[in-house]
Amino acid sequence: MADQFDVVVIGGGPGGYIAAIRAAQLGFRTACIDDWTRDGGKPAPGGTCTNVGCIPSKALLQSSEHFEHAGHGFAQHGIDVKGLSIDVERMIARKDKVVAQSNDGILWLLKKNKIPFFHGRGSFAGKAGDGWAIKVDGAAPVELAAPSVIVATGSVPRALPGAPFDGKLVLDNAGALALPAVPKRLGVVGAGVIGLEMGSVWRRLGAEVTVLEALPVFLGAADEAVAKEAQKAFAKQGLAIHTGAKIASVKAGKADVTVEWTDAQGAAQTSVFDRLIVSIGRVPNTAGLNAEAVGLELDERGCVAVDDDCRTNLPGVWAIGDVVRGPMLAHKAEEEGVAVAERLAGQHPHVDFNTIPWVIYTSPEIAWVGKTEQQLKGEGVAYRAGSFPFSANGRARAMGEATGFVKILADAETDRVLGMHAIGPMASELVAEGVMAMEFGASSEDIARICHAHPTLSEATKEAALAVAKRTLNL
Ligand SMILES: Cc1cc2nc3c(=O)[nH]c(=O)nc-3n(C[C@H](O)[C@H](O)[C@H](O)COP(=O)(O)OP(=O)(O)OC[C@H]3O[C@@H](n4cnc5c(N)ncnc54)[C@H](O)[C@@H]3O)c2cc1C
C-alpha cells in the first residue's frame, strides 16, 4: 500500500526542498525524496548547491581569500605576517563541516515543516488513480502516491568528449572542491562562473592557473565594460586566460594531464597540467526518473520540457530548477519551487527571468541584473548609462578594495532602471538594490534620491544612478 501525499517532490536541492517547504506551509501533505549520500551513508539533502556547488565553493573562496589577504593585503595595513602557510587538509575539513551543517539544517527544516524525508532514488512507477505512484529505492524501499509531483532532480557536470572525469587528474566541480594539495600547474577548461571561481581558489593558494575558453570573448554574458575590467583584474592576479581556445585532445598520464589545443590565432599549443578542472557546463539530470515509461517529455537539450509555469506534459507533474530551461542558479530553482507550490494552491505567482541576479564570487566580485548595454543596443532600446568607480568611494578605499565600478542603465525616455552591473567589493550584495529597483519599476532618479548610509559601498550605486543624469556628487 503506497503512502498517500498531496505533493511528492523528487530532489532535495534548493529547488526541491524549498518547493516542499512552501507546499507544506500552504497546507499540502508533502514528501521530499533525495538520494545524495554523505560519508557514513547519511542523507545529505541540499543538492549540488549544498554539497558540491554554491556553499562549498564559497567556503573555499573565503579561506583562500583570507590566505591571499594575509600574504599580500595585510602589509599595507601595517600587519606583517611571518611564516604564512596553508594547511589544505584543514581548509577542506572546514568546508566539509560547513556543508554538513547545511545538510543537517535542511533535515531540520523539513522536520519542522512536518515533511517526511525519504533517502533514496525516486522514480515514476506509473499512475495511481488520478495521480502518480513514485517508487523510492533506498535502504528502506517504499512507494508513495500523490496527485502532484514536482521534479527537481538538478543537473550533473558535462565532461569533455574523450576525457571522462577520473576524480584524480581530470576533475569536475566535486573534484575541484576536494583537492588534497595545491597543484603546481592547474588547467581549467571553461571560463564560466565555476571555472573562474575554482581557478581563483587554487591560484590564491599558489597554483599556476591557465584557463582555456572556447568562446572568442571573455564573459560574453556580462556587460562588456564589466568583462573588460574583470579580464584586466584577473590578468593582474596571474590567471592566464586564453579565449578562442579549441581543445584538440586531453590525455591523462600517470601524474599529469596533457592538453593539446589551438589558440585564437590558430596555432597548435600543448600544455601539461598537474590537474585539469573541466567546467564546460552542466547537463540536466533525468537519469533514474523512469521518465520514458510514463511519457514525461524532454526537450532537445535533455531538459524536462515545461511551459512558463513549470508544467510538464503530464497532468499534475511539474519540474523546476536546473533540470528545466533557464539559468542554472540556485535562487532561480528556489523561486520556481515557491511558484509551483503557490500555483498548486490556486495562487498566481510569476518568476521573471529578467530580474534574476547573476553573481561571480571572484575578487573583484561581479554581479548584475537586467539588460547589458550590448543587449539594449541589439534590441534598439534608447537608454542612458551612469557609472561610478569604487576608486571614488570612501568605504572601498578604506577597505583597500577600490577596483571596479557600478553601472546603472535606464530607459532614455522613462528613466526606468533596465539593468545594474557591478564589479568590485561585495558586488554580490550590492546587486540586490538593483533587483529591488527593477521589481518595483523604479527610475534611476528613485535610486539617486534614496538616502544611502555613509560611508558604504552602496553609495557607489547611488552615485551611478546620479551619473545617469550626469550629476555625480563625488566625481
Ligand atoms: C561549483 C558550483 C558552484 C555554484 N555556485 C553557485 C552560486 O554561487 N550561486 C548559484 O545560484 N548557483 C550556483 N551553482 C549552481 C547551483 O548549484 C544549481 O543551480 C542548483 O543547485 C540547482 O538546484 P536544483 O534544486 O535544481 O538541483 P540540485 O541542487 O542539483 O539538486 C538536485 C537533487 O536531486 C537529487 N536527485 C536527482 N535525481 C534524483 C532521483 N531520481 N531521486 C532522488 N533524488 C534525486 C540529486 O542527487 C540532488 O541532491 C553552482 C554550481 C556549481 C557546480
Side-chain angles (χ1 to χ4, degrees):
M1 182 68 186
D3 283 2
Q4 185 67 41
F5 290 91
D6 298 322
V7 181
V8 167
V9 182
I10 309 178
Y17 88 80
I18 289 292
I21 289 176
R22 188 69 189 117
Q25 282 175 346
L26 290 164
F28 294 111
R29 194 167 134 65
T30 307
C32 183
I33 309 168
D34 189 82
D35 61 0
W36 208 295
T37 303
R38 55 181 135 162
D39 287 349
K42 276 172 72 181
T48 301
C49 167
T50 301
N51 292 294
V52 290
C54 323
I55 302 301
S57 61
K58 267 78 255 178
L60 294 190
L61 279 158
Q62 191 64 54
S63 298
S64 60
E65 195 162 359
H66 283 322
F67 183 72
E68 171 123 321
H69 282 171
H72 303 287
F74 282 4
Q76 62 171 319
H77 295 267
I79 304 167
D80 293 321
V81 180
K82 298 217 168 62
L84 183 68
S85 66
I86 178 82
D87 181 339
V88 174
E89 204 180 319
R90 207 157 6 121
M91 180 184 76
I92 298 287
R94 174 190 173 272
K95 179 262 304 179
D96 290 341
K97 198 168 156 198
V98 171
V99 169
Q101 278 168 346
S102 301
N103 297 142
D104 290 338
I106 294 165
L107 286 170
W108 180 83
L109 282 171
L110 293 174
K111 205 164 171 190
K112 177 185 158 212
N113 285 282
K114 303 192 172 43
I115 300 165
F117 175 76
F118 295 90
H119 186 212
R121 173 153 289 201
S123 61
F124 285 95
K127 292 288 291 181
D130 286 343
W132 298 96
I134 305 294
K135 200 167 77 173
V136 186
D137 292 328
V142 56
E143 194 163 293
L144 316 180
S148 300
V149 177
I150 303 175
V151 175
T153 47
S155 62
V156 290
R158 183 197 301 276
L160 271 171
F165 299 116
D166 60 18
K168 270 174 66 192
L169 297 173
V170 181
L171 306 172
D172 59 7
N173 52 300
L177 289 162
L179 279 172
V182 182
K184 188 166 173 322
R185 301 160 301 177
L186 176 66
V188 179
V189 183
V193 180
I194 297 171
L196 290 173
E197 290 186 3
M198 292 298 92
S200 292
V201 165
W202 296 105
R203 199 267 318 147
R204 290 171 191 166
L205 300 177
E208 261 168 43
V209 179
T210 306
V211 184
L212 304 175
E213 167 58 52
L215 292 175
V217 287
F218 179 63
L219 281 183
D223 189 86
E224 272 170 13
V226 169
K228 226 166 113 187
E229 182 83 2
Q231 197 163 13
K232 223 168 53 189
F234 297 151
K236 210 164 137 195
Q237 293 166 7
L239 269 185
I241 300 171
H242 301 274
T243 50
K246 301 274 181 307
I247 307 293
S249 73
V250 174
K251 286 197 191 84
K254 277 216 171 83
D256 54 24
V257 186
T258 304
V259 179
E260 296 191 327
W261 54 286
T262 313
D263 67 19
Q265 286 70 43
Q269 305 282 350
T270 302
S271 304
V272 181
F273 302 114
D274 300 303
R275 294 283 187 282
L276 184 72
I277 297 172
V278 176
S279 48
I280 55 169
R282 298 180 60 82
V283 288
N285 178 18
T286 54
L289 267 177
N290 203 20
E292 333 67 61
V294 285
L296 180 65
E297 209 177 285
L298 307 185
D299 67 17
E300 61 290 349
R301 293 178 48 240
C303 296
V304 176
V306 288
D307 67 8
D308 288 350
D309 298 330
C310 294
R311 252 185 220 97
T312 71
N313 65 313
L314 300 180
V317 179
W318 308 70
I320 58 169
D322 277 13
V323 78
V324 303
R325 83 283 174 265
M328 286 188 171
L329 293 168
H331 41 285
K332 176 262 193 185
E334 291 180 21
E335 294 303 325
E336 287 182 334
V338 168
V340 166
E342 292 181 348
R343 209 161 275 281
L344 287 174
Q347 299 179 13
H348 301 281
H350 173 61
V351 179
D352 181 358
F353 282 8
N354 192 44
T355 50
I356 291 178
W358 293 79
V359 180
I360 308 177
Y361 297 82
T362 43
S363 176
E365 288 188 348
I366 297 166
W368 72 90
V369 58
K371 305 280 184 179
T372 60
E373 278 206 60
Q374 63 267 28
Q375 276 176 325
L376 293 175
K377 280 182 192 145
E379 291 168 15
V381 177
Y383 67 94
R384 292 188 298 166
S387 285
F388 190 82
F390 283 109
S391 57
N393 174 274
R395 182 70 186 278
R397 283 203 311 271
M399 290 165 71
E401 294 188 38
T403 303
F405 57 86
V406 178
K407 174 154 77 174
I408 302 278
L409 303 174
D411 188 285
E413 212 172 304
T414 64
D415 193 33
R416 188 182 176 128
V417 176
L418 302 175
M420 171 178 166
H421 303 269
I423 173 164
M426 291 290 163
S428 56
E429 302 291 337
L430 295 176
V431 74
E433 185 172 3
V435 177
M436 174 99 91
M438 287 182 63
E439 283 287 354
F440 282 116
S443 62
S444 76
E445 186 183 351
D446 288 327
I447 299 180
R449 288 195 180 279
I450 291 169
C451 180
H452 290 67
H454 176 75
T456 59
L457 298 170
S458 70
E459 286 174 293
T461 307
K462 176 189 172 108
E463 289 277 5
L466 283 165
V468 171
K470 299 199 174 9
R471 57 184 193 92
T472 51
L473 296 165
N474 285 285
L475 191 69

